[in-house]
Amino acid sequence: MSTKTSAKAVRELLPSPAPIRFVDESGTAVKAPAGYAIPPDELLREAYRWMVVGRRFDTQATALTKQGRLAVYPSSRGQEACQVGGVLALRERDWLFPTYRDSVALVARGLDPVEVLTLLRGDWHCGYDPAATRVAPQCTPLATQVLHATGMAEALRRKGEDGVAMAFVGDGGTSEGDFHEALNFAAVLKAPVVFFVQNNKYAISVPLAKQSAAPALAYKGVGYGVPAEQVDGNDLVAVLSVLGAAVEHARSGRGPFLVEAHTYRMDAHTNADDAGRYRDDDEVRRWAGADPVRRLETYLRGRGLLTDDDVESARTQGETFAAGLRARMNADTEPDLLEIFDHVYAEPTPQLLEQREQLRAELNAQES
């Protein structure tokens, strides 16, 4: 390969110098970036509805932790454009590999909200059927789901299926070895996978500047031969456009793609975290001015795609959704303690069966 050809190949891998954006913080359209198209109007309207419903779901889930109905809840308030944009860029036959913070994405994907929260309630490892929904269990260990997504994408390719896998990962996850291994495998195999980094500026309490010296996390793709892009993660229009292009890149057989979305986690890491210990109120207020829901609403109103009735309808839908969730989550569950032995092995070992019977005997003795 000549030096000129090599330089061109490198340039094609690099992300844009600044995050792709269609709409500024005030909700005003800016000059459309070259190479990207505005998503269809109806898709934008659907995204708005899910962002409103998703935010109401998120605040309700946070409230449920205070009522003792959830053990923990990692909020994604402020990241709705990423949560909703990510799943709307996929088709039903595609696979999603989420993290513990991506409950809103799962709800927008159409999953039962109670099943989504089963893990965080502590009732079961995963409340929904991954094979039926094509959504992997929410992953708590950082970045392990990224390798799983690469493996699934390669399986889809080998089976000749027209499917794509998308792995959600946080900025902290990009510091894990699994993330780098996944990019390398995906690039070598040309697996149809999209790596979607939601850079919300903190890995729990560790700011981005103490995680990476790269000009943007998207630049981590070039070392593995993975093309990348960076996008304003609070601009739903841009997120949908960039992810749509990334998914099409993967689906067309050109291999993996890395997208970094610049966004912000408005709430604490979880309900057990005190974010005031590592960030100040002024920073939070600045990011509140870039609120993704308000930004999209203003933009759609300006284009005549959203009316007062539409806004009220979305809010009503959100309240109804939250009320239904609240009622169902307030119902006590009756766990079967013997279930802890299920799905440990495909075929239970003699030791496991012995332990099950010991527990069964103890439970029977307590009841007698």
Side-chain angles (χ1 to χ4, degrees), residues 297 301 306-315:
E297 180 180 322
R301 282 181 179 274
L306 200 67
T307 65
D308 289 343
D309 289 343
D310 294 329
V311 172
E312 184 58 32
S313 175
R315 291 174 180 170

Side-chain angles (χ1 to χ4, degrees), residues 228-312:
E229 186 58 279
Q230 56 177 328
V231 62
D232 182 337
N234 284 18
D235 176 2
L236 182 280
V237 182
V239 171
L240 264 179
S241 182
V242 170
L243 282 179
V247 169
E248 178 55 32
H249 174 97
R251 197 184 307 281
S252 64
R254 289 178 285 169
F257 203 97
L258 170 64
V259 175
E260 176 191 7
H262 297 268
T263 184
Y264 193 77
R265 189 194 76 213
M266 294 300 297
D267 286 343
H269 175 67
T270 69
N271 51 293
D273 175 42
D274 178 9
R277 298 178 62 184
Y278 54 83
R279 66 184 192 185
D280 58 47
D281 292 340
D282 288 341
E283 177 181 296
V284 177
R285 279 193 291 268
R286 285 195 302 273
W287 276 96
D291 179 75
V293 179
R294 185 174 62 248
R295 186 193 296 200
L296 181 60
E297 180 180 322
T298 302
Y299 170 76
L300 293 178
R301 282 181 179 274
R303 289 189 55 200
L305 298 176
L306 200 67
T307 65
D308 289 343
D309 289 343
D310 294 329
V311 172
E312 184 58 32

